Amino acid sequence: MTQAYYSAVLDHPLDTVWSLIRDFNNYPAYIDGVSESVIEDDKRGDEVGAIRRFCYLGNWIRQRLVEHSDRQHILTYAGLEALPYPQDDRSQSAAPTRYQGTMHLRPIIDGDRTLIEWSVALDTEPTDADRWQALFASWIPDWTDSLARTLARVRPQHD
């Protein structure tokens, strides 16, 4: 297993951030590049076991919600299919068929802000681990920045 991890401070209260991300089906609302998302089998977006199918940069991806806690502000998802490697890459890097991502929010009392920790654990071939880790280490900050931009549009930052 290889892991990519990123943390950042969001200048918004924890409840505001959680209300945006807690619905597993709300990805298009805060991740640039996600054009649509559908929860399969009429499950709710906060129901453990729900499967979302979403289109990210033209690729359809399926993930299952494996943990969801309104009390602890944690959302964990697992990939159900191999991830497509970016099309501009000419290598034959094997795609991880198993990966698990976790978004965990923590309150920052000073300034009523939120710490977001986002990690993705990837089960890759050892020869491909560094490439996949680097890819996710670049994607997670982009996704977090997209979330921050969405929050700024929805509710202005603190003074």
Side-chain angles (χ1 to χ4, degrees):
M1 281 286 211
T2 187
Q3 182 163 338
Y5 171 86
Y6 184 73
S7 63
V9 173
L10 301 171
D11 290 326
H12 301 275
L14 184 139
D15 288 341
T16 301
V17 179
W18 183 245
S19 69
L20 182 61
I21 71 168
R22 73 172 300 282
D23 183 344
F24 192 49
N25 199 35
N26 209 25
Y27 233 29
Y30 65 90
I31 299 295
D32 293 337
V34 176
S35 57
E36 58 185 291
S37 180
V38 176
I39 296 284
E40 299 177 0
D41 300 324
D42 295 321
K43 302 237 185 211
R44 294 184 326 271
D46 62 354
E47 187 175 346
V48 171
I51 295 172
R52 73 176 167 198
R53 183 172 34 90
F54 64 95
C55 187
Y56 178 63
L57 302 177
N59 296 298
W60 284 96
I61 300 169
R62 291 178 74 229
Q63 298 172 337
R64 178 185 314 276
L65 184 61
V66 296
E67 181 182 9
H68 187 282
S69 174
D70 284 326
R71 189 173 59 77
Q72 295 179 340
H73 303 101
I74 294 176
L75 183 149
T76 300
Y77 54 90
L80 297 177
E81 300 161 348
L83 289 170
Y85 203 80
Q87 294 172 355
D88 61 347
D89 184 85
R90 306 244 188 278
S91 77
Q92 296 299 316
S93 285
T97 54
R98 291 186 311 199
Y99 64 93
Q100 183 165 294
T102 298
M103 300 168 73
H104 186 189
L105 303 181
R106 298 175 190 266
I108 298 175
I109 304 308
D110 181 27
D112 196 15
R113 298 174 295 163
T114 301
L115 173 69
I116 182 171
E117 296 177 291
W118 196 332
S119 62
V120 178
L122 302 140
D123 188 6
T124 66
E125 292 295 325
T127 56
D128 295 322
D130 289 344
R131 294 172 59 88
W132 281 101
Q133 192 281 334
L135 182 62
F136 274 85
S138 71
W139 276 348
I140 298 170
D142 289 346
W143 299 334
T144 304
D145 290 347
S146 178
L147 171 61
R149 286 190 302 274
T150 300
L151 287 162
R153 287 190 303 266
V154 171
R155 177 171 283 166
Q157 292 179 222
H158 293 296
D159 297 329

